[in-house]
Amino acid sequence: MAETSVHGAIHRECSAPPLSRRDLISGLPDAMIHNIFSFLPIHDVVKTCVLSKRWRPTWTTATDLVFVGYDVYFEPPPDSPLFFPSIVDSVLSQFSSPTVKKFHLTRFMYDEADRPRIDLWLRFAVRRSVEDLRLRLSQRSRFFYVLPEFLYCFSRLVRLDVGKCCFSLDMTIWWPCLKVLSIEDAQLSDDFLGRIFRGCPVLESLVLSSCEGVNNIIIDSLCLKKLVLVSLGFGSYVKKLCAPHLLSLRVIGGNHAGFRLDDVSSLVEADLDFSVESRDPNSKGRDLLRHLLEKVRGVPTITTGGWCLQFQLHRESEERFNFDEEDFLCSRKGNFECLVKHLKRVEIVGCEAYVGESKHLLALIKFLLGDALVLEKLIIKAKLPPTPDGQKQLQVIQNVLSYQRASKNAEIVFDYHFK
């Protein structure tokens, strides 16, 4: 009897279809399918209906809707099934989920005639309690989209990212759940920025990119910890930044000759990578450099752009006929106590072609290695041309590795990648 039972078990096990022939994809739970959808733009999500009968209606219940436009001057004509607004309309008309967590609309070539349509799309998202809203129109669009009034007081938003959109600067803001806000290519004002801070009590991160009209940024919020200013427009020269509770500050791109930090006493990270017209004889770049370094002297992590070294070296070279970068840095050794006692990690990024072609950069590397007593790692990230000169690059590496190191634990890392 036992033998018969064993043979029966073996027969049943062998009769099961091979793993390669089973329809495993149809057995996936909806939660897993929706998680897969969250990584795909909506046009790819819709295509998944061909994978299995069970998947055919599943995309209509997805909670993430990501629409990516063509970002070209000439889209398919309105009567084409590939016309982007028609695709969005079609998807939304078949959508059956009561909620939308993510609604993204990017790279859409906007025209003023499209405004009613986008209003309807945003109202669709708002009625389904969207939490993550991104509306980044194509930079090639000739017009700015005017944000609708119903969007200014919406209590469910957690993340908002808008680009090429126009704000009504007299509107009251009320986004009580908003934690992350990013605004690109918009006209703002100091007063409107203040209303954003007052209307977003839990805001943690703010990014302003290519925005105009911002001169004074006053942040009293205890929640806002990260501020990023990227290439502010010609009408925006941030004269004053007061943010006593801010932890992370990045100022990237643009010319900020008049930039001043007021109270940034809580900073733990500062990235000041912008330009200063240092070759202008009337430039106040030296005063700006002194001011910024004084304000961030206690910040654990500081990143600066090449303008700091280049400006100081350029000014010094005007004052000394036989100027030597290495001599200049060595003469300033006593002024860098934090470098000697505290500097542990240095990253030099954005180097073009061969590091050895920049005497300023080599002088800085040699100075850091020879003076930083607790330095642990110096990373050099450089961009190489498509056909690099290996012999030349090897010579540069050997040269840098031969520099004297004040710290016995100092490690030099060359991180090269092609353009």
Side-chain angles (χ1 to χ4, degrees):
M1 294 293 293
E3 185 178 351
T4 305
S5 143
V6 170
H7 281 290
I10 293 174
H11 175 73
R12 285 194 299 273
E13 185 176 333
C14 293
S15 64
L19 187 63
S20 59
R21 296 182 184 177
R22 296 181 195 173
D23 185 11
L24 298 177
I25 199 169
S26 295
L28 293 176
D30 285 353
M32 185 174 293
I33 296 175
H34 287 157
N35 185 54
I36 295 173
F37 288 166
S38 68
F39 296 98
L40 302 173
I42 193 63
H43 62 271
D44 287 333
V45 170
V46 175
K47 292 176 183 177
T48 62
C49 66
V50 303
L51 298 177
S52 161
K53 288 183 179 180
R54 182 172 171 273
W55 280 54
R56 289 177 185 174
T58 307
W59 73 267
T60 65
T61 60
T63 57
D64 298 338
L65 296 176
V66 179
F67 298 96
V68 182
Y70 301 111
D71 197 18
V72 293
Y73 288 108
F74 300 101
E75 285 189 339
D79 57 348
S80 169
L82 298 178
F83 184 55
F84 183 71
S86 298
I87 293 175
V88 178
D89 288 340
S90 176
V91 169
L92 298 187
S93 67
Q94 300 177 66
F95 192 77
S96 59
S97 176
T99 60
V100 173
K101 291 183 178 180
K102 179 192 297 183
F103 188 91
H104 289 185
L105 181 65
T106 60
R107 299 176 59 187
F108 175 42
M109 185 66 71
Y110 173 71
D111 187 88
E112 284 185 325
D114 298 313
R115 181 180 176 183
R117 219 163 190 166
I118 297 183
D119 286 350
L120 289 175
W121 297 343
L122 292 182
R123 192 174 290 278
F124 172 93
V126 167
R127 286 174 176 171
R128 284 162 176 77
S129 304
V130 65
E131 297 177 4
D132 181 350
L133 178 60
R134 174 179 292 177
L135 181 59
R136 280 185 173 268
L137 305 178
S138 170
Q139 290 297 317
R140 297 177 181 177
S141 300
R142 294 184 300 162
F143 303 97
F144 285 75
Y145 170 67
V146 180
L147 294 172
E149 291 187 10
F150 63 79
L151 200 60
Y152 289 85
C153 294
F154 178 49
S155 61
R156 299 299 185 92
L157 274 181
V158 177
R159 301 176 67 95
L160 177 61
D161 183 355
V162 293
K164 201 74 176 182
C165 293
C166 183
F167 288 87
S168 298
L169 300 184
D170 59 342
M171 293 293 293
T172 298
I173 300 291
W174 181 237
W175 295 322
C177 296
L178 193 70
K179 293 185 177 182
V180 180
L181 175 60
S182 179
I183 303 175
E184 181 180 15
D185 200 5
Q187 180 70 40
L188 305 175
S189 69
D190 293 347
D191 178 68
F192 185 72
L193 204 57
R195 255 179 281 151
I196 289 179
F197 295 143
R198 292 189 295 271
C200 306
V202 297
L203 186 65
E204 298 175 357
S205 174
L206 173 63
V207 179
L208 300 179
S209 178
S210 301
C211 294
E212 296 187 1
V214 179
N215 297 118
N216 299 286
I217 303 178
I218 313 297
I219 305 174
D220 297 322
S221 171
L222 296 174
C223 296
L224 187 58
K225 301 301 182 183
K226 181 178 180 180
L227 175 64
V228 181
L229 306 175
V230 183
S231 299
L232 296 185
F234 293 108
S236 291
Y237 298 95
V238 179
K239 301 174 182 177
K240 177 182 178 181
L241 171 60
C242 181
H245 307 292
L246 197 67
L247 298 182
S248 176
L249 171 65
R250 299 186 68 194
V251 184
I252 306 170
N255 180 15
H256 297 275
F259 185 54
R260 290 292 183 271
L261 296 177
D262 190 349
D263 183 357
V264 287
S265 52
S266 298
L267 277 184
V268 296
E269 179 184 36
D271 185 350
L272 307 174
D273 188 7
F274 52 88
S275 62
V276 175
E277 294 296 334
S278 59
R279 297 188 180 277
D280 182 353
N282 298 319
S283 172
K284 297 181 179 180
R286 176 179 292 180
D287 293 336
L288 172 61
L289 177 58
R290 184 182 296 111
H291 164 77
L292 293 179
L293 293 180
E294 178 66 28
K295 284 294 184 178
V296 300
R297 63 184 303 178
V299 178
T301 303
I302 303 173
T303 304
T304 63
W307 68 272
C308 289
L309 180 63
Q310 290 173 4
F311 175 80
Q312 189 68 7
L313 295 180
H314 174 77
R315 295 294 294 177
E316 192 72 12
S317 66
E318 290 179 347
E319 298 169 8
R320 296 170 56 186
F321 182 76
N322 295 318
F323 175 71
D324 183 90
E325 296 91 342
E326 202 170 317
D327 289 344
F328 167 72
L329 288 171
C330 289
S331 69
R332 297 299 194 270
K333 278 191 175 184
N335 299 331
F336 298 107
E337 183 180 353
C338 64
L339 183 151
V340 175
K341 297 182 179 180
H342 305 291
L343 188 66
K344 293 185 177 182
R345 180 185 175 94
V346 176
E347 287 191 22
I348 300 176
V349 301
C351 307
E352 294 290 339
Y354 300 103
V355 177
E357 294 177 352
S358 172
K359 290 193 288 186
H360 295 334
L361 187 55
L362 285 177
L364 177 62
I365 293 173
K366 190 172 185 178
F367 171 71
L368 292 173
L369 289 173
D371 209 49
L373 296 177
V374 295
L375 184 66
E376 296 176 356
K377 184 172 289 189
L378 187 147
I379 303 173
I380 302 172
K381 297 183 177 181
K383 300 175 182 178
L384 294 178
T387 56
D389 185 338
Q391 185 63 33
K392 187 176 183 180
Q393 196 58 40
L394 179 60
Q395 184 178 356
V396 171
I397 293 174
Q398 291 174 340
N399 186 27
V400 172
L401 291 176
S402 69
Y403 290 161
Q404 184 178 355
R405 307 180 198 185
S407 170
K408 63 180 181 180
N409 298 319
E411 178 187 1
I412 303 175
V413 178
F414 293 89
D415 184 2
Y416 293 140
H417 60 274
F418 293 101
K419 293 182 180 180

